[in-house]
Amino acid sequence: MNKDKNFVVAIIPARGGSKGLYKKNIQILNGKPLIAYTIEAAKKSKYVDKVVVTTDDEEIRKISQEFGADVPFLRDSALAGDKIPCNPVIKDCHGKMEKYYQKKIDIVLYMQPTEVFRKIWMIDKSILALIDNNQLDTAFVAYASHKNFWKISNNKPSRLVSFNEDLRQDKVPIYREDTGLACATRRKVILEGLRIGKNVKIIPHYSELGSIDVHTKEDLMCAEAILSISDITIND
């Protein structure tokens, strides 16, 4: 499949309301609004054609545009509540942007503005997986762990059972879904109102920083501390 035949659009959902941290998506992190990191990451990808922010908030819209995102409309209030899942928001944005661009959007890259510790290769590999294999519906980033995990037994709620009791060197990794960092999905899946299709490829990563998801003041302070005391760079 030729990359030139695919129109790839990054969609970043960023509503104005926030219970844990007021207007978290535009809180300042290390001198820049939080959402700027995700917009800049998408724009650095060699496969992303357009970067779109879907928001119900005029201030978020203005800031997103300043950092190079397209925000031609404000999201309907019916899709801006804190109980609304991301799937209908993405579908709504996808449909409106196809009309705006007057072009079919082949691949949607879903990214969360609250997850900033991503690398550009995560974005590129997620998109490239779909470009290279037309049988795939979705490719997303996931943290690969060899740790021991436990869960409550389905048959006996009072009993805990281990996911994997094999020796570490023999274990198959368990993956934590990190779609907020990068999740590429085909048009047909989005039109079905889904974010992840049936045929999936996982793009593994091993960075603990991928678990940092800014939703509270403490999360923001943690991210700020990491950036200020280390040589970690974002979006390289």
Side-chain angles (χ1 to χ4, degrees), residues 142-149 163-164 171-176:
Y143 177 73
S145 175
H146 290 86
K147 293 285 188 179
N148 293 321
F149 288 84
F163 272 33
N164 193 336
K171 286 182 181 176
V172 174
I174 294 175
Y175 294 97
R176 179 192 70 213

Side-chain angles (χ1 to χ4, degrees), residues 33-50:
L34 190 67
I35 197 170
Y37 292 94
T38 299
I39 294 171
E40 289 175 343
K43 289 178 71 67
K44 285 182 179 179
S45 170
K46 58 186 175 183
Y47 299 110
V48 173
D49 298 299
K50 299 288 184 178

Side-chain angles (χ1 to χ4, degrees), residues 3 6 8 45-49 123-125 127-128 131:
K3 185 263 171 186
N6 289 275
V8 182
S45 170
K46 58 186 175 183
Y47 299 110
V48 173
D49 298 299
I123 298 172
D124 287 348
K125 284 191 175 183
I127 298 169
L128 190 59
I131 293 172

Side-chain angles (χ1 to χ4, degrees), residues 1-12 41-52 70 93-94 97-98 101 103-111 122-132 139 182-187 190:
M1 188 181 295
N2 192 318
K3 185 263 171 186
D4 293 334
K5 295 182 179 179
N6 289 275
F7 184 43
V8 182
V9 174
I11 295 180
I12 305 168
K43 289 178 71 67
K44 285 182 179 179
S45 170
K46 58 186 175 183
Y47 299 110
V48 173
D49 298 299
K50 299 288 184 178
V51 181
V52 177
D70 290 341
C93 182
H94 176 272
M97 294 312 297
E98 283 198 331
Y101 293 131
K103 189 173 182 179
K104 182 175 70 175
I105 299 172
D106 301 293
I107 295 175
V108 167
L109 177 71
Y110 165 75
M111 305 169 76
M122 296 177 178
I123 298 172
D124 287 348
K125 284 191 175 183
S126 297
I127 298 169
L128 190 59
L130 300 190
I131 293 172
D132 288 343
C183 176
T185 300
R186 292 196 191 281
R187 181 177 188 269
I190 300 298

